[in-house]
Amino acid sequence: MLTRTPVGLDAMVDTLKAAAESSRLRILLMLSRGDLTVSDLTDVLGQSQPRVSRHLKLLLDAGLISRYQEGSWAYFRLSDDETARETIQGIVARVDLGDATVERDLERLAEVKRRRQERALGYFSANAASWDRIRSLHVPDDAVEAGLRKIVGKRPFQSMLDLGTGTGRLLEIFSPLYVRGVGVDLSREMLAVARANLDRAGVHNAQVRQGDIYTPPVERESFDLVTIHQVLHFLEDPAAAIREAARLLRPGGRLVIVDFAPHALEFLREEHAHLRLGFADRQVADWLEEAGLELKDTIDFAPRGEGSRLTVKLWLAQDRRLLIAGEGSHARTQENIA
């Protein structure tokens, strides 16, 4: 069961003071529905950029929101701090969505997101043919997703990180389980696709941001579940990516990797930038061991049809440290000695 962290009196007063202004509360409400730029917020609120920027600075100074850079664009989101985020979400949840001002804001927000989706659709359509060719070589995506749901289970958890998030699909399918989800991808075009997909699916508890899988822009030891879906075969150093993923896990956290078993389809290297033609179980197990993780389960998805095909593999690993609830709200960690 997920617990809420108590907030000190002075900290709560500061939070309420920062939020207790109509424009800032409107900004918090909009950011609770996804990451937005200053330009997006000026369109939604119908205010000048300097005015919106002043409100954003006050919210930043109060630790209620965060800012991150993506190329030449700066995005704003609710704070990554779990206590601040829970407090703000509790406040905005009480706002009447039927209020005339809020209704207009939501209408403008929908228009901002519609424009995003149009831009994303153009990129996705331009690349769909090559993606479809690869999909035709292995089992349908819904079979793999069913396996992912089975291996992750139905128990809620606090936070998820999807490295190389692509279209954001994993953030979407696990959104009912986590409180906060983060997707990282190096491609701005793919991030646009992911944002559009999450908007369309009504996923408000996830965000995506630009970053390198080897040095993702997130705090270490912050995630209960980390996923790497069809990414390792593009990397020069898959072992380094796994080591970094392990550092991001909380004690007892889980890492799920989805990729291909060894194959001989050279056209994927030549035409689709695959640097690795699949991975053997022993190789992945060794990398997990080196990263301090324990391999817990594997699932094979055998290909269908004749000719050269791809077998999809799913590996589940877990951090060896256990998170042990102590007296009251305290916790401690220990090594899980097999």
Side-chain angles (χ1 to χ4, degrees):
M1 182 175 179
L2 301 179
T3 59
R4 296 184 183 276
T5 305
V7 180
L9 181 62
D10 290 344
M12 178 60 79
V13 170
D14 290 342
T15 295
L16 295 176
K17 282 181 178 178
E21 195 280 336
S22 60
S23 293
R24 292 198 289 276
L25 187 54
R26 290 162 66 192
I27 289 173
L28 291 171
L29 178 58
M30 296 304 107
L31 292 181
S32 73
R33 293 169 174 260
D35 300 3
L36 298 168
T37 65
V38 175
S39 178
D40 293 336
L41 287 166
T42 58
D43 288 348
V44 171
L45 272 63
Q47 298 179 6
S48 68
Q49 183 166 325
R51 185 176 179 185
V52 170
S53 295
R54 283 197 299 273
H55 288 308
L56 288 169
K57 185 178 186 305
L58 289 170
L59 292 171
L60 280 166
D61 290 345
L64 303 186
I65 65 173
S66 301
R67 178 186 184 277
Y68 65 95
Q69 200 75 23
E70 190 174 293
S72 60
W73 293 3
Y75 279 89
F76 294 86
R77 62 176 183 267
L78 293 187
S79 173
D80 289 337
D81 180 80
E82 291 175 6
T83 302
R85 195 178 187 89
E86 288 174 357
T87 302
I88 293 306
Q89 287 175 334
I91 292 172
V92 301
R94 301 299 299 272
V95 175
D96 180 8
L97 300 185
D99 179 272
T101 299
V102 174
E103 277 191 337
R104 286 195 297 272
D105 287 349
L106 291 173
E107 289 171 359
R108 292 172 182 145
L109 179 64
E111 177 60 21
V112 166
K113 292 186 174 184
R114 185 192 64 78
R115 292 197 299 266
R116 276 186 187 175
Q117 290 172 3
E118 287 181 350
R119 291 193 297 269
L121 183 61
Y123 174 79
F124 196 83
S125 298
N127 293 274
S130 62
W131 294 336
D132 285 345
R133 182 184 180 190
I134 296 175
R135 285 196 190 97
S136 70
L137 299 173
H138 59 73
V139 297
D141 291 342
D142 56 2
V144 178
E145 290 176 7
L148 280 163
R149 288 188 175 99
K150 179 179 179 181
I151 207 166
V152 169
K154 298 180 180 180
R155 185 176 180 179
F157 52 90
Q158 188 69 32
S159 54
M160 171 183 173
L161 173 66
D162 188 26
L163 293 171
T165 194
T167 64
R169 178 59 180 164
L170 294 195
L171 291 173
E172 180 182 339
I173 67 175
F174 290 121
S175 61
L177 297 181
Y178 58 73
V179 175
R180 180 176 73 99
V182 179
V184 173
D185 204 289
L186 198 56
S187 166
R188 288 182 60 186
E189 291 80 9
M190 289 309 303
L191 291 174
V193 172
R195 287 194 183 98
N197 288 342
L198 294 172
D199 287 343
R200 187 164 47 247
V203 176
H204 302 312
N205 56 336
Q207 59 184 232
V208 295
R209 61 185 77 164
Q210 190 174 34
D212 192 308
I213 194 171
Y214 298 119
T215 55
V218 294
E219 294 294 323
R220 291 189 172 182
E221 297 191 9
S222 298
F223 297 93
D224 302 292
L225 177 67
V226 175
T227 52
I228 306 177
H229 183 270
Q230 297 291 14
V231 174
L232 290 186
H233 56 250
F234 291 112
L235 303 182
E236 288 279 359
D237 192 352
I242 290 174
R243 288 195 299 272
E244 182 59 28
R247 296 185 186 106
L248 303 174
L249 290 172
R250 285 178 168 151
R254 295 176 294 172
L255 170 64
V256 176
I257 299 171
V258 179
D259 219 294
F260 298 125
H263 62 85
L265 300 181
E266 285 288 342
F267 85 91
L268 292 177
R269 196 196 310 270
E270 297 164 0
E271 300 176 24
H272 298 277
H274 288 209
L275 297 181
R276 305 291 185 113
L277 298 184
F279 303 94
D281 285 341
R282 183 69 264 164
Q283 185 176 45
V284 174
D286 287 345
W287 286 338
L288 293 170
E289 177 71 23
E290 291 168 4
L293 303 179
E294 181 180 0
L295 180 62
K296 304 294 287 189
D297 201 358
T298 61
I299 300 178
D300 289 29
F301 299 91
R304 300 172 183 174
E306 299 178 356
S308 298
R309 299 282 173 173
L310 295 168
T311 294
V312 177
K313 297 280 299 186
L314 189 158
W315 296 274
L316 171 68
Q318 188 167 27
D319 184 281
R320 289 193 172 94
R321 298 168 298 168
L322 291 177
L323 185 64
I324 303 174
E327 295 293 332
S329 61
H330 298 290
R332 71 181 190 274
T333 63
Q334 72 172 22
E335 288 296 322
N336 178 17
I337 302 175

